[in-house]
């Protein structure tokens, strides 16, 4: 079974938008784009998946490869 952006319920268009935090926004909650690549214990991310993860991190998002629920939680919460 494969999952991803195009799975049932996934939005057709995804992305992110940079937002400059102004003094008026201090204390507000703002969303941060997150992407987790799920792999089996022996699974490896492709070069394209690695590049996507690196790009998301470079622009301030949260991204990583997880092989368990605990790893996914760690990516999102650390």
């Amino acid at each position: 079974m494969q999952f991803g952006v195009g799975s049932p319920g996934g939005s057709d268009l995804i992305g992110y938008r940079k937002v400059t935090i102004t003094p008026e926004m201090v204390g507000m909650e703002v969303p941060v784009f997150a992407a987790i690549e799920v792999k089996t214990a022996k699974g490896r991310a492709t070069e394209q998946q690695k590049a996507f993860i690196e790009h998301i991190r470079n622009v301030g998002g949260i991204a990583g490869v997880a092989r368990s629920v605990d790893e996914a939680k760690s990516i999102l919460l650390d």
Side-chain angles (χ1 to χ4, degrees):
M1 187 177 294
Q2 294 184 341
F3 293 93
V5 174
S7 64
S11 297
D12 293 323
L13 303 173
I14 64 162
Y16 59 88
R17 179 174 85 99
K18 285 187 176 184
V19 176
T20 301
I21 305 300
T22 65
E24 296 80 23
M25 295 173 72
V26 172
M28 293 177 68
E29 292 183 349
V30 295
V32 176
F33 188 89
I36 298 177
E37 183 63 38
V38 178
K39 295 292 181 189
T40 64
K42 294 182 183 180
R44 292 180 156 187
T46 66
E47 290 304 314
Q48 293 89 347
Q49 290 167 335
K50 290 177 189 177
F52 180 76
I53 289 167
E54 182 178 350
H55 174 75
I56 296 303
R57 288 178 177 169
N58 286 341
V59 297
I62 300 166
V65 176
R67 291 174 174 77
S68 69
V69 172
D70 287 337
E71 283 187 358
K73 286 180 181 178
S74 180
I75 291 166
L76 293 173
L77 301 176
D78 289 343

